[in-house]
Amino acid sequence: MSIEVKVPRLPESVADATLVTWHKAPGDTVERDENLADLETDKVVLEVPAPARGVIRELHVKGGATVTSGQLLASLEPAVESESAAAPARPAKADKAPAAAPAEAAPAVAPAGRSAGKTGPAARRALQEKGIDPATVQGSGPGGRILKSDVVQAPSLAVAPAIAPVRAPGGRTERRVPMSRLRARIAERMVEAQHAAAMLTTFNEVDLSAVLALRSRYKDAFEKRHGVRLGFMGIFVKAAIEALQRFPAVNASIEGNDIVYHDYYDVGIAVSTDRGLIVPVLRDADRLSLPGVEKAVNEFGRKARENALGMDDLTGGTFTITNGGVFGSLLSTPILNPPQSGILGMHKIQERAVVVDGQVVARPMMYVALTYDHRIIDGRDAVQFLVAMKEALEDPARLVLGV
């Protein structure tokens, strides 16, 4: 009796998925829980594990097809232990058996495509993009698992691109590559935000001298005590929560003709990945300590690099913070993440000449931007929200004292 391999149950918010690639072919032997294929949803890449040890008899869906929850993907024949494997081998008779030829040496590495089960989705995607045979990569993960960092450090092979160039006018070439589901979903949500909300952006600038001095003074003790570096994001999250508590409309959303004021603070932290921008959500951020926020943000970064973020990590959120400064952005206007009504943009820290007590001095300055939905947030509240953040960041003691 064959074993059916079906699409795992998808979250309620996800209607379907795309079968990105098969890692096994008919006739291949697979082990229980070995990854057979990658499914890409609007937010994450899911693996399809083998339900049991067996041999692939048939693949019912081709790569690139759209599939739904519970749909049949493949059929396996259960593995049957052979008689020679189940029972000890009988000794050959000495007078009849010829001298045994030396056994053929097993290959030092698995043939191309057979080691894909030892890689995660992010590593496999990187292998395909760089044209690298996984059998040539030494994995540094548990059990020799190939990580994306291993692929990044491996030399790329000169292979033809998956999408061959085509002729363009003037003898030039161009390549046409289909959008990934994530990129298509990002495009859809950006257009949705532009059409559905009355977006407006207000700006301010923050002198980060006090924050930099705080980090310089306590970074070593902080890391030694809590096992995580003291970064900027934790301080900005805490300052944002302080401002959100004072201006609850920025933490609200619109449902029909109702304004929903959220009495909790689920802060989305925008993270850039090879697949596009994703926003994992820091649940109940107001209940986390500063070390707790830093640990959670670091964990998001690790999961994003390894493509291990789940749907629970990416759904919900009442407010978002995005940091274009890590890429050198000096100023930008973030786009809302529907149905949220506010998003904070952080930018590059740059020494600029400012006037302090009548004197021109150089200070580490950052522009901050708040894009907000003008349907429920008045300009006064938006401006005062940024002023509250500015005051907290320029005098971090306010975060401790609650003033």
Side-chain angles (χ1 to χ4, degrees), residues 117 122 155 321 335 337:
I321 299 177
I335 296 179
N337 185 18

Side-chain angles (χ1 to χ4, degrees), residues 7 17 34 46 50 53-54 113 120 127 146 151 171 187 199 205 212 218 246 260 276 304 322 326-327 354 402:
V7 176
E34 186 175 359
L46 305 174
R53 186 175 185 272
L127 286 167
I146 297 175
V151 182
M199 289 194 295
E205 61 178 353
L212 290 175
Y218 293 108
R246 293 174 58 182
V260 181
T322 180
V326 296
F327 305 111
V354 295

Side-chain angles (χ1 to χ4, degrees), residues 212 330 348-354 361-366:
L212 290 175
L330 189 62
K348 179 182 178 182
I349 301 174
Q350 187 176 61
E351 279 206 342
R352 292 198 295 273
V354 295
V361 295
R363 291 292 177 88
M365 306 297 293
M366 175 192 284

Side-chain angles (χ1 to χ4, degrees), residues 43 184-194 336-339:
K43 296 179 180 290
R185 181 57 174 161
I186 290 173
E188 178 185 332
R189 288 179 65 83
M190 294 300 99
V191 173
E192 175 190 343
Q194 295 276 18
L336 289 175
N337 185 18

Side-chain angles (χ1 to χ4, degrees), residues 314-395:
L314 300 170
T315 53
T318 59
F319 182 76
T320 294
I321 299 177
T322 180
N323 184 6
V326 296
F327 305 111
S329 172
L330 189 62
L331 192 61
S332 67
T333 56
I335 296 179
L336 289 175
N337 185 18
Q340 297 171 23
S341 297
I343 179 171
L344 176 75
M346 299 168 55
H347 299 92
K348 179 182 178 182
I349 301 174
Q350 187 176 61
E351 279 206 342
R352 292 198 295 273
V354 295
V355 178
V356 179
D357 297 329
Q359 301 293 321
V360 178
V361 295
R363 291 292 177 88
M365 306 297 293
M366 175 192 284
Y367 289 118
V368 289
L370 176 71
T371 297
Y372 59 98
D373 191 341
H374 211 345
R375 292 178 299 171
I376 63 172
I377 302 172
D378 294 330
R380 180 189 62 181
D381 287 347
V383 170
Q384 289 183 336
F385 173 90
L386 280 188
V387 169
M389 284 208 63
K390 173 183 173 71
E391 292 174 346
L393 293 168
E394 292 186 343
D395 186 6

Side-chain angles (χ1 to χ4, degrees), residues 100-108:
E104 183 179 354

Side-chain angles (χ1 to χ4, degrees), residues 33-57:
D33 295 330
E34 186 175 359
N35 183 32
L36 304 181
D38 291 341
L39 301 178
E40 185 178 45
T41 71
D42 298 342
K43 296 179 180 290
V44 296
V45 174
L46 305 174
E47 295 185 348
V48 179
R53 186 175 185 272
V55 177
I56 294 182
R57 185 178 70 178

Side-chain angles (χ1 to χ4, degrees), residues 159-395:
V159 297
I163 306 296
V166 296
R167 288 291 180 181
R172 297 168 295 177
T173 61
E174 59 186 21
R175 291 178 298 123
R176 186 180 298 271
V177 181
M179 279 190 184
S180 67
R181 288 180 65 95
L182 177 61
R183 175 55 58 188
R185 181 57 174 161
I186 290 173
E188 178 185 332
R189 288 179 65 83
M190 294 300 99
V191 173
E192 175 190 343
Q194 295 276 18
H195 289 177
M199 289 194 295
L200 191 63
T201 304
T202 185
F203 304 92
N204 212 319
E205 61 178 353
V206 180
D207 182 349
L208 290 176
S209 298
V211 170
L212 290 175
L214 187 71
R215 290 183 72 242
S216 177
R217 181 175 180 181
Y218 293 108
K219 63 180 182 180
D220 293 337
F222 186 92
E223 185 171 1
K224 183 177 180 180
R225 175 73 177 273
H226 302 291
V228 64
R229 292 180 59 189
L230 176 59
F232 290 102
M233 187 56 74
I235 297 174
F236 269 79
V237 167
K238 285 298 183 183
I241 291 172
E242 182 76 17
L244 290 171
Q245 290 172 339
R246 293 174 58 182
F247 302 96
V250 185
N251 196 51
S253 59
I254 294 178
E255 290 186 9
N257 292 323
D258 297 330
I259 300 176
V260 181
Y261 291 95
H262 306 290
D263 296 327
Y264 51 90
Y265 302 89
D266 289 350
V267 179
I269 307 295
V271 177
S272 179
T273 72
D274 293 341
R275 298 173 56 237
L277 189 70
I278 56 178
V279 187
V281 178
L282 196 62
R283 308 286 179 191
D284 295 317
D286 56 314
R287 300 182 182 181
L288 294 176
S289 63
L290 182 58
V293 172
E294 292 290 356
K295 289 177 181 178
V297 170
N298 281 2
E299 181 66 6
F300 285 152
R302 182 193 67 79
K303 285 186 174 182
R305 288 191 299 272
E306 299 178 5
N307 211 4
L309 288 166
M311 290 298 298
D312 290 342
D313 295 320
L314 300 170
T315 53
T318 59
F319 182 76
T320 294
I321 299 177
T322 180
N323 184 6
V326 296
F327 305 111
S329 172
L330 189 62
L331 192 61
S332 67
T333 56
I335 296 179
L336 289 175
N337 185 18
Q340 297 171 23
S341 297
I343 179 171
L344 176 75
M346 299 168 55
H347 299 92
K348 179 182 178 182
I349 301 174
Q350 187 176 61
E351 279 206 342
R352 292 198 295 273
V354 295
V355 178
V356 179
D357 297 329
Q359 301 293 321
V360 178
V361 295
R363 291 292 177 88
M365 306 297 293
M366 175 192 284
Y367 289 118
V368 289
L370 176 71
T371 297
Y372 59 98
D373 191 341
H374 211 345
R375 292 178 299 171
I376 63 172
I377 302 172
D378 294 330
R380 180 189 62 181
D381 287 347
V383 170
Q384 289 183 336
F385 173 90
L386 280 188
V387 169
M389 284 208 63
K390 173 183 173 71
E391 292 174 346
L393 293 168
E394 292 186 343
D395 186 6

